[in-house]
Amino acid sequence: MYLSTFGDNTLFPEPSAFTLADKDFLTGKSIQVLKSFKRKEKIAHITGEVNDIISPDSVQIGPEQHLHDPYVLGMLTHSCDPNTYFDVKNRHLVAAKSILENEFLTIDYTQTEDYLFRQFQCRCKTAKCKGWIHGRKEAQVKRSEGGEI
Ligand SMILES: [Zn+2]
């Protein structure tokens, strides 16, 4: 899933365990697992360029520090009750609950982001849904042309 130029870290996502598949019409492509993971199991080591720019595929790893990963983290769909979380210190994607084969991976964008690239109306349909999704340090900016997840 990562380019060979990133090296050959054995903890990088194995192509045999993950695939990029069409989730639904609104979401488009997202990451689906081809094997199960136990709760708290390390799913993969994450890598990417770090700079101070917020983009659709970046994850905040510190004040004004954003890790850009268009291959794995950037492909995860938001959920307010996600099945993964990002261990920022170790750069690991970890199972937040047990994940079954063929499930799509989800993550809660609000756990890491002070400011989102774009706020949006969540459609995760979980009991914990927060509705309008925005960063921890920003006010809700609802616009009529607001983004979709
Ligand atoms: Zn939600």
Side-chain angles (χ1 to χ4, degrees):
M1 308 207 72
Y2 282 129
L3 304 176
S4 58
T5 50
F6 286 162
D8 58 356
N9 187 328
T10 54
L11 294 174
F12 279 169
E14 286 282 334
S16 61
F18 305 90
T19 189
L20 204 53
D22 280 314
K23 187 171 184 185
D24 56 52
F25 175 73
L26 281 174
T27 310
K29 295 222 180 285
S30 193
I31 293 184
Q32 188 178 27
V33 292
L34 303 175
K35 57 172 271 198
S36 60
F37 290 90
K38 294 187 180 77
R39 185 171 167 266
K40 296 201 173 171
E41 186 175 347
K42 193 186 309 168
I43 295 174
H45 185 76
I46 298 298
T47 192
E49 186 188 343
V50 175
N51 60 31
D52 61 358
I53 299 166
I54 299 171
S55 78
D57 56 34
S58 69
V59 173
Q60 186 175 346
I61 58 171
E64 314 220 355
Q65 272 198 309
H66 304 272
L67 172 73
H68 294 261
D69 175 12
Y71 304 101
V72 181
L73 279 189
M75 294 307 297
L76 298 185
T77 307
H78 168 86
S79 171
C80 301
D81 188 13
N83 58 15
T84 76
Y85 65 91
F86 185 48
D87 173 351
V88 171
K89 183 165 166 267
N90 296 306
R91 307 257 173 109
H92 290 148
L93 185 65
V94 182
K97 51 179 79 173
S98 45
I99 301 172
L100 300 175
E101 185 180 335
N102 294 327
E103 269 189 60
F104 282 92
L105 296 183
T106 56
I107 197 163
D108 183 350
Y109 296 171
T110 68
Q111 285 181 344
T112 51
E113 306 305 298
D114 289 340
Y115 302 91
L116 288 187
F117 178 77
R118 188 178 66 176
Q119 300 185 3
F120 61 91
Q121 179 66 48
C122 187
R123 298 178 198 284
C124 74
K125 299 188 180 107
T126 66
K128 295 180 180 173
C129 188
K130 299 186 248 286
W132 189 256
I133 305 301
H134 59 93
R136 296 175 297 200
K137 291 189 176 175
E138 64 183 346
Q140 294 188 30
V141 184
K142 284 199 183 187
R143 294 184 300 252
S144 57
E145 76 277 19
E148 305 275 347
I149 182 172

